[in-house]
Amino acid sequence: MNFKRIFPVVASLSLAVLMSQAVQARELKALGISMGSLGNPYFVTLADGATARAKALNPDVKVTSVSADYDLSKQFSQIDNFISSKVDLILLNAVDPSAMASAIKKARNAGIVVVAVDVDAKGVNATVQTDNVEAGKLACQFIVDKLAGKGNVIIQNGPQVTAVTDRVKGCKAALAGAPQIKVLSDDQDGKGSREGGLNVMQGYLTRFPQIDGLFAINDPQAIGSDLAARQLKRGGIVITSVDGAPDIENSLKSESLIQASSSQDPWAMAQTAVDIGNDLLNDKPPAEAVTLLAPKLITRDNVAAYNGWSSKR
């Protein structure tokens, strides 16, 4: 056998395989982003963070960022448009985590990587979100501690996406450790908005003569609730929430009833999601299907040292 003839052939084959693999590596050329509502600064920061990271990976990347406005049919159309324009990666904040499954499947069948952000969604390649159970637990443990484990508390609910249901789950776990805490209500939907929080809180204040604490599932609802309490001249209520938004920073530095918020980091979340999506394009799956980012409780005592969402990292 002539080994001198064989070795060059093997070497050439190995080089060909390596070159083939290099050709198959996919560059992120087009990114589609569908957010629940770009009227919410949280989702604006998510979109901005994703855009910044995508452009760092490829300065020529085309980024299309759209708002679903919590409209399921609108988000379906957005996914169809992303497929038609042949994006490589979709970052999806699903309006309905289960109902979007068929659109996600369609995108993936077209060779598009789909990464869920902020809330999980059925059938995605990966998910990046805050540990929302821990966020709810931190915010409601603050209420328990402030009330010394005794009083009337409300859980102001919201749209039934996983981020919200997980926050409520964490809150209830914290309240369960204080038997003398009475939950007056836990099923009213504040719509994730300031107006929704205000309207629901007005109803609470009319129904309940004594409210000692309130957990709102996000900052806009907390701000609306605080406004309702001030309009009806009701005080002595410890309000907490989740997000760590710029508006909540101002509330924590003022005389509002809002005393704490479990902060999220939408900028870091978006950047992590783009990195994971880019890796998936090149057959490098994440260690876990769901990547959880740890929240931190922002209070009046530490808000001065809080970097906030505007800190672009």
Side-chain angles (χ1 to χ4, degrees):
M1 183 177 292
N2 192 333
F3 289 101
K4 290 183 179 180
R5 289 180 179 273
I6 295 174
F7 286 149
V9 172
V10 172
S12 297
L13 287 172
S14 298
L15 181 60
V17 170
L18 288 172
M19 290 178 66
S20 173
Q21 289 175 342
V23 169
Q24 290 173 2
R26 289 177 62 183
E27 183 179 32
L28 178 59
K29 296 179 180 179
L31 168 64
I33 304 170
S34 177
M35 295 287 106
S37 171
L38 288 177
N40 184 331
Y42 176 80
F43 293 119
V44 172
T45 306
L46 263 172
D48 288 348
T51 300
R53 184 57 190 150
K55 288 187 177 297
L57 292 170
N58 176 14
D60 297 322
V61 67
K62 180 183 178 182
V63 180
T64 304
S65 182
V66 291
S67 177
D69 301 316
Y70 296 112
D71 184 322
L72 187 61
S73 61
K74 189 173 184 178
Q75 194 162 58
F76 269 112
S77 296
Q78 290 168 352
I79 299 301
D80 281 338
N81 290 337
F82 290 153
I83 295 170
S84 297
S85 60
K86 300 184 186 304
V87 302
D88 303 295
L89 170 64
I90 294 174
L91 294 194
L92 177 66
N93 176 250
V95 171
D96 185 313
S98 297
M100 289 304 298
S102 60
I104 292 166
K105 183 179 180 180
K106 187 177 179 182
R108 290 190 62 180
N109 286 343
I112 299 169
V113 171
V114 184
V115 178
V117 289
D118 188 55
V119 296
D120 200 0
K122 189 175 181 180
V124 295
N125 294 88
T127 300
V128 183
Q129 62 185 104
T130 301
D131 186 341
N132 285 294
V133 173
E134 181 64 17
K137 190 180 295 185
L138 285 173
C140 288
Q141 187 59 51
F142 182 91
I143 293 175
V144 171
D145 294 343
K146 278 289 181 180
L147 299 181
K150 185 178 182 179
N152 294 330
V153 173
I154 287 170
I155 298 173
Q156 189 181 98
N157 223 308
Q160 294 300 285
V161 294
T162 55
V164 172
T165 57
D166 282 351
R167 291 171 196 178
V168 171
K169 179 180 177 181
C171 176
K172 288 182 175 180
L175 298 182
Q180 290 182 287
I181 292 284
K182 180 180 180 181
V183 178
L184 300 176
S185 172
D186 66 1
D187 60 357
Q188 296 298 297
D189 182 1
K191 309 295 184 185
S193 69
R194 187 176 302 201
E195 295 76 16
L198 185 146
N199 291 334
V200 171
M201 185 61 163
Q202 287 175 334
Y204 293 146
L205 294 168
T206 302
R207 288 169 57 196
F208 304 117
Q210 181 64 39
I211 301 172
D212 302 300
L214 178 137
F215 168 66
I217 54 89
N218 71 0
D219 287 347
Q221 286 185 204
I223 291 170
S225 297
D226 175 65
L227 179 58
R230 284 189 281 120
Q231 287 177 346
L232 295 179
K233 302 187 186 309
R234 292 277 292 273
I237 304 171
V238 178
I239 297 177
T240 67
S241 58
V242 176
D243 274 346
D247 284 348
I248 218 72
E249 293 182 62
N250 295 329
S251 295
L252 290 172
K253 293 173 183 177
S254 71
E255 294 301 315
S256 75
L257 296 175
I258 301 169
Q259 296 191 34
S261 177
S262 293
S263 73
Q264 302 198 80
D265 192 338
W267 185 268
M269 184 184 295
Q271 298 234 319
T272 301
V274 171
D275 282 338
I276 288 174
N278 188 60
D279 284 345
L280 283 163
L281 284 173
N282 294 284
D283 297 321
K284 299 176 185 176
E288 302 289 341
V290 179
T291 300
L292 295 178
L293 305 183
K296 296 180 180 177
L297 191 68
I298 309 305
T299 69
R300 287 177 176 169
D301 292 335
N302 64 16
V303 66
Y306 175 50
N307 288 327
W309 292 356
S310 60
S311 178
K312 306 294 189 279
R313 294 167 294 287

